[in-house]
Amino acid sequence: MSLENFFNPKSVAIVGASQHKGKVGYEILSNMIDAGYEGTLLPINPKSEPIEGLQCYPDLKSTGQRPDLVIIIVPARIVPAIMQQCADVGAKSVIIITAGFKEVGKEGRELEQQIIQIARQAGIRIIGPNCLGLIVPANKLNASFGGNLPAVGAIGYLSQSGALLTAILDMANATEIGFSKLVSIGNKADVDELDIMEALACDEDTKVIAGYLESIGNGNQFVSKAEQISHDKPILLIKAGATEAGAKAASSHTGSLAGAEAAYESAFERAGIIRCSSIRQQFDYAQAFANQPLPAGPGVAVITNAGGPGIMAADSIEQQGLTFAKLSEKTIEKLASSLPAAANLYNPIDVLGDALADRYELALDAALDDPNVDTVLVLLTPQAMTEPVATAEAMVRVIRKNPTKPVLACFLGADKVEEGVRILRAGGIPQIDASERAVATIKVVADYVRWRSRPKRVVRLFPVNRRKVENIVERHLRQAIREIGETESKEILEAYGFATPKGSIATTAEQAAGIADQLGFPVVLKIWSPDILHKSDVDGVQIGLKSIKEVKDAFDLMMYRIPKKLPDANILGVLVQEMCRGGKEVILGMQRDPHFGPLMMFGMGGTMVEVLKDVSFYLAPLTADEAKQMLMSTKTYQMLKGVRGQEGVDIDAIAEGLQRLSQLVTEFDQIQELDINPYVVGPEGTVPIAVDARISVEQV
Amino acid sequence: MSLENFFNPKSVAIVGASQHKGKVGYEILSNMIDAGYEGTLLPINPKSEPIEGLQCYPDLKSTGQRPDLVIIIVPARIVPAIMQQCADVGAKSVIIITAGFKEVGKEGRELEQQIIQIARQAGIRIIGPNCLGLIVPANKLNASFGGNLPAVGAIGYLSQSGALLTAILDMANATEIGFSKLVSIGNKADVDELDIMEALACDEDTKVIAGYLESIGNGNQFVSKAEQISHDKPILLIKAGATEAGAKAASSHTGSLAGAEAAYESAFERAGIIRCSSIRQQFDYAQAFANQPLPAGPGVAVITNAGGPGIMAADSIEQQGLTFAKLSEKTIEKLASSLPAAANLYNPIDVLGDALADRYELALDAALDDPNVDTVLVLLTPQAMTEPVATAEAMVRVIRKNPTKPVLACFLGADKVEEGVRILRAGGIPQIDASERAVATIKVVADYVRWRSRPKRVVRLFPVNRRKVENIVERHLRQAIREIGETESKEILEAYGFATPKGSIATTAEQAAGIADQLGFPVVLKIWSPDILHKSDVDGVQIGLKSIKEVKDAFDLMMYRIPKKLPDANILGVLVQEMCRGGKEVILGMQRDPHFGPLMMFGMGGTMVEVLKDVSFYLAPLTADEAKQMLMSTKTYQMLKGVRGQEGVDIDAIAEGLQRLSQLVTEFDQIQELDINPYVVGPEGTVPIAVDARISVEQV
């Protein structure tokens, strides 16, 4: 969808324009005029004389025009009538600045419904209500009351908080950071975050998309669209309002470990969205993406005129897991022939405290020429001899000559480096005034490059018995049973290609002994009751029973003790099961997130999972690569590979289990939570066993 | 030791003063003059005419004075001669600016030795060499070439990097942050970081000590002195140059997990030092400590004129583990009666986008009066109606009236809030321009308050058999054996009150069976060789052997297989040991850090410790409280307390084990590394068993 009428309107009507300074209706009009808007400007106010020399119309109709964009500032209760006028004159797009809609409760929500209805019928698009407006510096369009028109640049910004946008504008103007578009999205009654992001994705003037969001509308759509956009343009988002409320009701291990944050993290990771924790961080990253080429690899060279900041940068590079570039011999020779003897020729290149601009120039030139260097970070402290201005000029000269690798600057100080910083920024070199933030920026850019070059996502589809699962799920839903018992949970898993341990239910000790004898010792006994979810909590699991006597004793003890602990539990018997020996226990799980759908979990299994929290999450459906990544991002992975002489397990078999589970929960929306715990995995070539499973379903 | 002659000299001689602008000898002299130094200023230069109107002397002697402070700027090779002159005229303290000493190699090191020798004999104290000098704003003393005299304030700063200090000065001057003293400590030939910190501790003008360090001289002394100082004044340090080199040679679990960083972290924690990762962070914290009272508790109230930043602050408060203060009913009534209906009266208090200064004033007043509020964070975005200046003035008025609780400001934006920010800073309200950094500052202050109020450290001394350990250790050292074998390691532990499993060495399968029979089944077999440190790596441990046959088989298999894997290992037999059942396995360990001495470790035991890295560190000697804290800061602790129906173990018994170990390694400097792994602990009231142990010693 094009938002061209918003971004580049030939005519703009301002309904509620005012001649009274301080009123929003005045501020917006005067911002439009001050910005030098070149189209037709139509102030509308029934009571007003000409404002700022412009003729004022009593209503939209009397302008005799069909404005591309109408800005509405009148009180909320009048807005529906104005919207109708917009429809009548054939206006194309509307920004509703006015507050007092959905955000104030029921009455406002109804008003908002009315205006949406009018807009839909008339084919009008709306930004807002309850927003700050819209700014397009290149088109001299400041349809906002947020502040002065900022510089033209390549950052497209959308914000769900108008107030934050005023602060951002003020900060950007002070540091001359430029924007392609700034949009305050307000209540998102019609145009939402995704519309703006898609418009910015197609916008030639935008190289990077940044934003502040408190909520996301349609999670699935957001993820898939954002993923497409991220391939072309990096997306930098601040997501505020993290809440743990969603996690509290969960009954599964996965549910209690996941929470809303895990879903957002996974969604952002899938979509390649770079999450920012503050405006400053976002500016750091946005500057780098907007002005510099992407690096070919992770190798960083540092140039400095002071040891201390050089060490701090080196520390950060190590902590961030970036590579400290090993300079080539040619580079070192080049540096040796032109720098003083005391200079450090290795990385960080220390041009010494008395370095003038020339040393920086040749060091930067040499570093950019080095095939081992992918990014250069230039540090400068304003010492007695230092030339911040000439150094900045030299740096800009060098990158113009050699514009293929990203260069970042970290000029430390304030007044002494101010002029130099201005030259850097004008020349497109991001200046970040703390080395650890500069290094964090290099890391984020390198991660983005890696994300972009990841293989195409191909989700493997396994042949499964879908019909069988449908039957079980539907029967439970018909009977309004949310929790699927262990036997049928395992049938579901078997239908999707999982192996489960053999076993049957016994209701007497004799029967238990008979089943055990048939399975072969040792066996496991598990209490069998729809009312007992976590069996080991009530000593309802006995493992390693090696004889008929042990089985009988364990059976009788369970039947005697557990009813005393849980007098209301309906105990159906005891499951006698073959024992899976020798493998390692992991957990596979899924928790359906209300926004983003099935969130897969992998972690160390057994009862320790909630204590050690060594788990990883990812949104379904999983590719083989993503399943493998889930394993590798836990510490448990080291153990699974084998440590200290212990044999490793079949990693690919676990990854396949995750993919099969991902297919199951993708095909069955009704499955809300699922744990396979433990999932016992043996050495390469063996088949893992889903020893215990819990599945809960819900009507959707 | 007093550094009064440095900080408040009545007369200052500058040896190497120059009339040539750009030379350091000129810069320092002109900085002294520009700062308005009121004592006697004596430029020394044999070749110079008067400089800047001041008479210039050919040498120190010809001044006829005994200067309190001599600043030396002449080339390194001449410095010893000048030092001798200082001694001859009876100068009291010397700052050597000149570089070219220890930092350039052997020759420089010798020069440095010479000047120290002269200084020691003459009782002269030296700052430097290779430093930037010293600044004391209140005394109008700018004995540096770092920049202009900054404002007078309560922050005392020491830096091991001169260049960094120039940047800090420039940043401080731009934001009007004030200092009591700034010292560039250079090579620390005489006066070192601890001397400066102690001087600042006694300095009435200093409320907070901040610094940048790359190395620390005497670790033990540093920790104990810094701990004393921290009680009165917070210490904020950037420690750069983290290195993992120290850890690489380690052979124990503890050693391979510890590394140099763990020792620094533990040392800083013990000493109450607040570690900063950047200059900006350090400024944030320093401002709060220097200008605001300490809070009584962790309850934070937020006042804002915008939802977005309020949410971001709330997110940060939750993430940092601070308390979102629940406002009292009285406060809410007060707010309700004076704020508009749409305002949010709960925390965060949203005074709305059109708030003028008056709403901020009454909200701040009400929040400070609330007994549930310990700290107030005031957020402001520069919206159309906002009054940054009047709001800042109102805030300063309120805290003057009610100065008992800390108030921090976060005015977002730049030019629009600039004047308001100046008023805040002048009024002693720290302004931090990002909410997450403001919240991080509140957290650091709250943590400091908690650290300061912790109980007095009392290290328990257990009755032990020290003589026995001495014998074993000395015998090993005499024979130049670094690794103490398992039997004697256990004897050492027994001498310090640890229980170890019973068992003996067998050299034949028959013998093994006999020992096992005597101990009672099940038993454990362990290969016995001084050359095999990690037995399980070579299948040298077999547990749970339940019969004479199993013991004989296991014995013969070990004796057959292990020599094939390790043909050079000297295998002395197999240890047959009673098996400790039912307990949980943890690891207790120690790695002696070259700077800070014995670093204790606690973590989950078994072979998984290096995979899961769920470990904690603390410097010995440990108090009972610290030992308990070590346990509690691991995830393993949850498991030890008991999860999901499993019985917990005796936590205090583990804590006692750590304290006994701490006593052992404190009393025996020769012990370099020590692991007890596993340390098997059972339910409350049982005695934990040190099942396996490794101790290595070195001559000290």
Side-chain angles (χ1 to χ4, degrees):
Chain A
M1 183 210 56
S2 164
L3 298 178
E4 195 57 19
N5 287 319
F6 284 106
F7 291 156
N8 197 12
K10 300 285 164 285
S11 52
V12 177
I14 303 179
V15 181
S18 166
Q19 58 195 334
H20 301 294
K21 226 175 157 160
K23 288 232 167 197
V24 173
Y26 174 86
E27 295 295 333
I28 293 185
L29 179 62
S30 85
N31 278 343
M32 285 292 291
I33 295 168
D34 291 350
Y37 175 63
E38 289 162 348
T40 310
L41 198 49
L42 307 162
I44 316 278
N45 190 329
K47 289 175 283 183
S48 185
E49 302 292 294
I51 306 174
E52 299 280 317
L54 282 172
Q55 192 196 336
C56 199
Y57 300 87
D59 51 34
L60 275 171
K61 204 174 167 189
S62 58
T63 64
Q65 304 224 23
R66 185 186 168 184
D68 286 348
L69 176 61
V70 179
I71 305 168
I72 300 179
I73 313 154
V74 299
R77 66 195 151 70
I78 312 175
V79 172
I82 302 293
M83 273 306 297
Q84 192 53 58
Q85 290 184 27
C86 290
D88 293 344
V89 301
K92 292 162 191 165
S93 29
V94 168
I95 298 174
I96 305 176
I97 303 288
T98 313
F101 291 87
K102 189 167 65 187
E103 80 279 10
V104 298
K106 186 163 168 285
E107 216 168 308
R109 196 185 313 272
E110 283 168 12
L111 270 182
E112 197 165 310
Q113 285 300 328
Q114 283 179 41
I115 59 170
I116 293 175
Q117 218 159 8
I118 299 168
R120 294 260 153 88
Q121 278 170 6
I124 298 174
R125 300 302 311 257
I126 298 175
I127 289 180
N130 185 24
C131 76
L132 197 83
L134 161 74
I135 302 176
V136 184
N139 296 341
K140 297 180 185 169
L141 179 76
N142 187 358
S144 86
F145 64 109
N148 294 337
L149 197 72
V152 175
I155 305 168
Y157 204 99
L158 63 151
S159 175
Q160 204 172 339
S161 163
L164 205 71
L165 211 55
T166 62
I168 287 174
L169 267 178
D170 198 28
M171 285 164 69
N173 285 336
T175 46
E176 290 162 60
I177 287 179
F179 294 91
S180 58
K181 271 94 196 167
L182 287 127
V183 188
S184 167
I185 58 178
N187 287 6
K188 310 190 281 186
D190 172 27
V191 171
D192 65 7
E193 63 279 1
L194 203 48
D195 294 324
I196 303 288
M197 283 164 62
E198 289 189 274
L200 294 175
C202 304
D203 177 34
E204 283 182 9
D205 298 334
T206 300
K207 281 183 67 178
V208 46
I209 299 168
Y212 166 87
L213 292 178
E214 288 165 11
S215 65
I216 284 170
N218 181 326
N220 278 327
Q221 211 187 354
F222 181 86
V223 170
S224 72
K225 290 279 169 66
E227 191 181 346
Q228 288 167 30
I229 296 171
S230 290
H231 268 279
D232 294 321
K233 299 181 185 181
I235 303 174
L236 310 172
L237 290 186
I238 299 173
K239 165 68 183 68
T243 166
E244 288 300 313
K248 282 186 186 130
S251 61
S252 67
H253 285 297
T254 308
S256 67
L257 283 161
E261 269 309 287
Y264 269 104
E265 291 291 340
S266 298
F268 280 26
E269 196 182 329
R270 158 73 61 84
I273 294 171
I274 297 154
R275 189 165 185 178
C276 306
S277 61
S278 68
I279 297 168
R280 185 178 298 272
Q281 200 180 60
Q282 199 175 33
F283 274 29
D284 289 348
Y285 301 168
Q287 273 193 82
F289 282 116
N291 299 309
Q292 290 287 301
L294 294 174
V300 183
V302 176
I303 300 171
T304 181
N305 70 343
I311 296 174
M312 288 173 76
D315 286 352
S316 301
I317 287 171
E318 196 188 313
Q319 279 157 19
Q320 295 273 7
L322 288 163
T323 309
F324 219 66
K326 186 174 161 23
L327 301 182
S328 72
E329 291 204 6
K330 202 179 132 202
T331 306
I332 290 166
E333 273 167 33
K334 231 188 283 181
L335 294 171
S337 67
S338 22
L339 292 180
N344 183 11
L345 308 179
Y346 303 87
N347 197 3
I349 303 167
D350 190 338
V351 295
L352 302 180
D354 58 351
L356 304 180
D358 61 334
R359 284 192 210 154
Y360 271 102
E361 184 160 11
L362 69 90
L364 179 55
D365 201 46
L368 285 174
D369 268 345
D370 191 310
N372 300 337
V373 173
D374 301 303
T375 301
V376 182
L377 173 61
V378 179
L379 304 175
L380 176 144
T381 54
Q383 301 177 57
M385 313 276 287
T386 311
E387 303 175 326
V389 170
T391 303
E393 285 166 349
M395 287 171 63
V396 172
R397 261 198 311 277
V398 174
I399 67 155
R400 292 242 165 96
K401 211 178 62 186
N402 196 346
T404 54
K405 295 178 182 178
V407 174
L408 281 81
C410 174
F411 280 23
L412 293 165
D415 293 348
K416 289 185 180 176
V417 297
E418 195 177 4
E419 189 54 32
V421 165
R422 194 163 298 140
I423 291 161
L424 289 172
R425 290 223 167 98
I429 299 178
Q431 144 73 8
I432 299 174
D433 64 358
S435 61
E436 80 283 1
R437 277 172 38 226
V439 172
T441 303
I442 294 171
K443 166 74 170 163
V444 156
V445 174
D447 283 349
Y448 172 72
V449 169
R450 218 181 31 227
W451 180 88
R452 230 171 56 145
S453 66
R454 78 203 192 292
K456 200 176 142 35
R457 295 190 68 242
V458 179
V459 175
R460 180 171 165 198
L461 270 191
F462 300 89
V464 296
N465 184 349
R466 194 162 166 165
R467 187 79 207 110
K468 171 145 196 195
V469 178
E470 258 167 37
N471 287 337
I472 299 174
V473 169
E474 277 165 17
R475 178 156 31 82
H476 278 80
L477 291 174
R478 267 199 311 277
Q479 300 171 7
I481 302 173
R482 282 209 52 202
E483 298 287 341
I484 298 181
E486 183 166 339
T487 313
E488 283 170 313
S489 288
K490 283 185 185 159
E491 282 174 27
I492 289 176
L493 292 176
E494 280 163 9
Y496 270 70
F498 286 88
T500 60
K502 293 190 215 89
S504 331
I505 309 286
T507 51
T508 66
E510 285 303 323
Q511 223 180 333
I515 297 167
D517 201 33
Q518 220 161 10
L519 289 171
F521 293 97
V523 296
V524 180
L525 259 57
K526 294 180 184 173
I527 193 72
W528 203 246
S529 161
D531 304 320
I532 301 175
L533 291 183
H534 294 292
K535 302 179 184 74
S536 54
D537 285 5
V538 292
D539 285 329
V541 179
Q542 290 296 327
I543 63 166
L545 304 172
K546 285 177 302 288
S547 64
I548 289 188
K549 179 183 179 306
E550 283 184 23
V551 169
K552 284 183 176 172
D553 291 355
F555 183 97
D556 286 339
L557 283 170
M558 275 190 199
M559 291 309 247
Y560 174 70
R561 287 178 180 156
I562 295 175
K564 290 214 286 192
K565 285 186 196 166
L566 302 170
D568 298 333
N570 177 20
I571 293 171
L572 306 175
V574 171
L575 173 66
V576 186
Q577 210 170 50
E578 65 168 333
M579 182 152 165
C580 305
R581 275 182 304 182
K584 296 246 186 294
E585 299 192 345
V586 299
I587 177 169
L588 312 185
M590 187 281 302
Q591 163 84 0
R592 195 169 294 271
D593 181 78
H595 279 83
F596 298 106
L599 182 65
M600 308 296 299
M601 185 182 86
F602 165 78
M604 171 179 267
T607 51
M608 290 302 104
V609 58
E610 287 186 27
V611 171
L612 294 172
K613 295 192 173 68
D614 182 33
V615 292
S616 60
F617 295 96
Y618 211 84
L619 290 180
L622 294 177
T623 66
D625 205 52
E626 288 162 351
K628 198 84 175 279
Q629 277 300 326
M630 282 184 72
L631 299 182
M632 287 168 66
S633 62
T634 63
K635 292 175 187 160
T636 302
Y637 179 69
Q638 296 302 320
M639 183 187 78
L640 297 175
K641 282 198 315 180
V643 280
R644 292 216 173 268
Q646 289 186 20
E647 196 181 5
V649 304
D650 194 332
I651 300 285
D652 290 328
I654 309 177
E656 186 181 312
L658 276 170
Q659 291 169 79
R660 286 182 179 274
L661 210 59
S662 152
Q663 181 175 344
L664 170 65
V665 298
T666 307
E667 291 174 352
F668 288 90
D669 283 356
Q670 304 96 321
I671 300 180
Q672 293 301 306
E673 291 183 51
L674 190 156
D675 275 345
I676 303 180
N677 183 26
Y679 188 57
V680 176
V681 288
E684 221 166 296
T686 58
V687 176
I689 311 272
V691 174
D692 206 346
R694 302 191 47 247
I695 299 178
S696 71
V697 289
E698 227 167 60
Q699 197 74 59
V700 286
Chain B
M1 183 209 57
S2 164
L3 297 177
E4 196 58 20
N5 287 319
F6 284 106
F7 292 155
N8 198 12
K10 300 287 163 284
S11 51
V12 177
I14 303 179
V15 182
S18 166
Q19 58 194 336
H20 302 294
K21 226 174 158 163
K23 288 234 166 195
V24 174
Y26 175 86
E27 296 296 332
I28 293 185
L29 180 61
S30 84
N31 278 342
M32 285 293 290
I33 295 168
D34 291 350
Y37 176 63
E38 290 162 347
T40 310
L41 197 50
L42 307 162
I44 316 277
N45 189 328
K47 289 175 281 184
S48 185
E49 300 293 294
I51 307 174
E52 298 281 316
L54 280 173
Q55 192 197 333
C56 199
Y57 298 87
D59 52 34
L60 275 170
K61 203 174 168 190
S62 58
T63 64
Q65 304 224 23
R66 187 186 166 183
D68 284 349
L69 176 62
V70 178
I71 304 169
I72 299 179
I73 313 153
V74 298
R77 66 195 148 71
I78 314 175
V79 173
I82 303 293
M83 274 305 298
Q84 192 53 56
Q85 289 184 27
C86 290
D88 293 345
V89 301
K92 292 163 191 165
S93 30
V94 169
I95 298 175
I96 304 176
I97 303 288
T98 313
F101 291 89
K102 191 166 62 186
E103 80 280 10
V104 296
K106 186 165 167 282
E107 213 168 311
R109 196 185 314 272
E110 283 169 10
L111 270 182
E112 198 165 310
Q113 285 301 330
Q114 283 180 40
I115 60 171
I116 294 174
Q117 217 160 7
I118 299 168
R120 295 259 154 87
Q121 278 171 4
I124 299 173
R125 300 303 312 253
I126 299 176
I127 288 180
N130 186 24
C131 76
L132 198 83
L134 161 75
I135 303 177
V136 184
N139 297 340
K140 299 181 183 167
L141 179 75
N142 187 356
S144 87
F145 63 109
N148 295 337
L149 197 72
V152 175
I155 304 168
Y157 205 99
L158 63 151
S159 176
Q160 205 173 337
S161 161
L164 204 73
L165 211 55
T166 61
I168 288 173
L169 267 178
D170 198 28
M171 287 164 69
N173 285 336
T175 47
E176 290 162 60
I177 287 178
F179 293 91
S180 59
K181 270 95 196 168
L182 287 126
V183 188
S184 167
I185 57 177
N187 286 6
K188 310 190 285 187
D190 172 27
V191 172
D192 66 9
E193 63 279 1
L194 202 48
D195 294 324
I196 303 288
M197 284 164 65
E198 289 190 274
L200 294 174
C202 304
D203 177 33
E204 283 182 9
D205 298 333
T206 301
K207 280 183 69 178
V208 46
I209 298 168
Y212 166 87
L213 292 179
E214 288 166 10
S215 65
I216 284 171
N218 181 326
N220 278 327
Q221 208 187 357
F222 181 85
V223 170
S224 71
K225 290 278 168 65
E227 191 181 347
Q228 287 167 30
I229 297 171
S230 291
H231 268 279
D232 294 321
K233 299 180 185 179
I235 302 174
L236 310 171
L237 289 186
I238 298 173
K239 166 68 183 70
T243 167
E244 288 299 316
K248 281 184 188 133
S251 60
S252 67
H253 285 297
T254 309
S256 67
L257 284 160
E261 269 309 287
Y264 269 105
E265 291 292 339
S266 300
F268 279 26
E269 197 181 329
R270 158 75 60 84
I273 293 170
I274 298 155
R275 189 164 183 178
C276 305
S277 61
S278 68
I279 297 168
R280 186 178 300 272
Q281 199 180 59
Q282 197 174 36
F283 273 29
D284 289 348
Y285 301 167
Q287 273 193 82
F289 281 116
N291 299 309
Q292 290 286 301
L294 293 174
V300 183
V302 175
I303 301 171
T304 181
N305 69 344
I311 295 174
M312 287 174 75
D315 286 352
S316 301
I317 287 170
E318 197 188 311
Q319 280 158 18
Q320 293 274 6
L322 287 163
T323 310
F324 219 64
K326 187 175 162 19
L327 301 181
S328 72
E329 293 205 5
K330 203 179 130 201
T331 305
I332 290 165
E333 274 166 34
K334 230 188 285 180
L335 293 170
S337 67
S338 23
L339 292 180
N344 183 9
L345 308 179
Y346 302 88
N347 198 4
I349 304 167
D350 190 339
V351 294
L352 301 179
D354 59 350
L356 305 180
D358 60 334
R359 286 195 208 150
Y360 271 101
E361 183 160 12
L362 68 89
L364 178 55
D365 200 46
L368 285 174
D369 268 346
D370 191 311
N372 299 338
V373 174
D374 301 303
T375 301
V376 183
L377 173 62
V378 179
L379 304 175
L380 177 144
T381 55
Q383 300 178 61
M385 314 275 286
T386 311
E387 304 175 327
V389 169
T391 304
E393 285 166 348
M395 286 171 62
V396 172
R397 263 199 309 279
V398 174
I399 68 153
R400 292 244 163 93
K401 210 178 63 187
N402 196 346
T404 54
K405 296 177 182 177
V407 174
L408 280 81
C410 173
F411 281 23
L412 293 165
D415 292 348
K416 289 185 180 177
V417 297
E418 195 178 4
E419 188 55 33
V421 165
R422 194 163 297 139
I423 291 161
L424 288 172
R425 290 224 168 98
I429 299 179
Q431 145 73 6
I432 299 175
D433 63 0
S435 61
E436 81 283 0
R437 277 171 37 224
V439 172
T441 303
I442 293 171
K443 167 73 171 162
V444 157
V445 174
D447 283 349
Y448 172 72
V449 169
R450 217 181 33 229
W451 180 87
R452 230 172 54 147
S453 66
R454 79 202 192 294
K456 199 175 143 33
R457 297 189 68 241
V458 180
V459 175
R460 182 171 163 197
L461 269 192
F462 299 89
V464 296
N465 184 349
R466 195 164 165 165
R467 188 79 208 111
K468 172 147 194 190
V469 178
E470 260 169 33
N471 286 339
I472 298 174
V473 169
E474 278 167 16
R475 178 155 31 82
H476 278 78
L477 291 175
R478 265 200 311 277
Q479 300 171 8
I481 302 172
R482 281 210 52 202
E483 299 286 341
I484 298 180
E486 184 167 338
T487 315
E488 282 169 313
S489 288
K490 284 184 184 158
E491 281 174 27
I492 289 176
L493 293 176
E494 280 163 9
Y496 271 69
F498 287 88
T500 61
K502 292 192 215 88
S504 333
I505 309 286
T507 51
T508 66
E510 284 304 323
Q511 218 179 337
I515 296 166
D517 201 35
Q518 219 163 10
L519 291 171
F521 293 96
V523 295
V524 180
L525 258 57
K526 294 179 184 171
I527 193 72
W528 202 245
S529 161
D531 302 321
I532 302 174
L533 291 182
H534 294 292
K535 302 179 183 73
S536 53
D537 285 5
V538 292
D539 286 328
V541 178
Q542 291 296 326
I543 63 166
L545 304 172
K546 285 179 300 290
S547 64
I548 287 186
K549 180 183 178 307
E550 284 183 21
V551 168
K552 283 184 176 172
D553 290 356
F555 183 97
D556 286 338
L557 282 170
M558 275 191 200
M559 291 309 246
Y560 175 70
R561 286 178 180 156
I562 294 175
K564 288 215 285 190
K565 287 185 196 168
L566 301 171
D568 297 333
N570 177 21
I571 293 171
L572 306 175
V574 171
L575 173 67
V576 186
Q577 210 170 50
E578 66 170 331
M579 183 154 166
C580 305
R581 274 184 303 182
K584 297 247 187 293
E585 299 192 346
V586 298
I587 177 169
L588 313 185
M590 186 281 301
Q591 163 85 0
R592 193 169 295 272
D593 181 78
H595 279 83
F596 299 106
L599 181 66
M600 308 296 299
M601 185 183 86
F602 165 78
M604 171 178 267
T607 51
M608 290 301 104
V609 57
E610 287 185 27
V611 171
L612 294 170
K613 296 191 172 70
D614 183 32
V615 292
S616 60
F617 295 95
Y618 212 84
L619 290 180
L622 296 176
T623 66
D625 205 52
E626 288 161 351
K628 199 83 174 279
Q629 277 300 326
M630 282 184 72
L631 299 183
M632 288 169 67
S633 62
T634 63
K635 293 173 184 161
T636 302
Y637 179 70
Q638 296 302 321
M639 182 187 79
L640 297 176
K641 281 197 316 180
V643 279
R644 294 216 173 268
Q646 290 185 18
E647 197 181 4
V649 304
D650 194 331
I651 300 285
D652 290 328
I654 309 177
E656 186 181 313
L658 276 169
Q659 292 169 78
R660 286 181 179 275
L661 211 58
S662 152
Q663 180 174 344
L664 170 65
V665 299
T666 308
E667 291 175 352
F668 288 91
D669 283 357
Q670 304 95 320
I671 300 180
Q672 294 300 308
E673 291 183 52
L674 190 158
D675 275 345
I676 303 181
N677 183 26
Y679 188 58
V680 176
V681 289
E684 220 165 297
T686 59
V687 176
I689 311 273
V691 174
D692 205 345
R694 302 192 47 248
I695 299 178
S696 70
V697 289
E698 228 168 60
Q699 196 73 59
V700 286

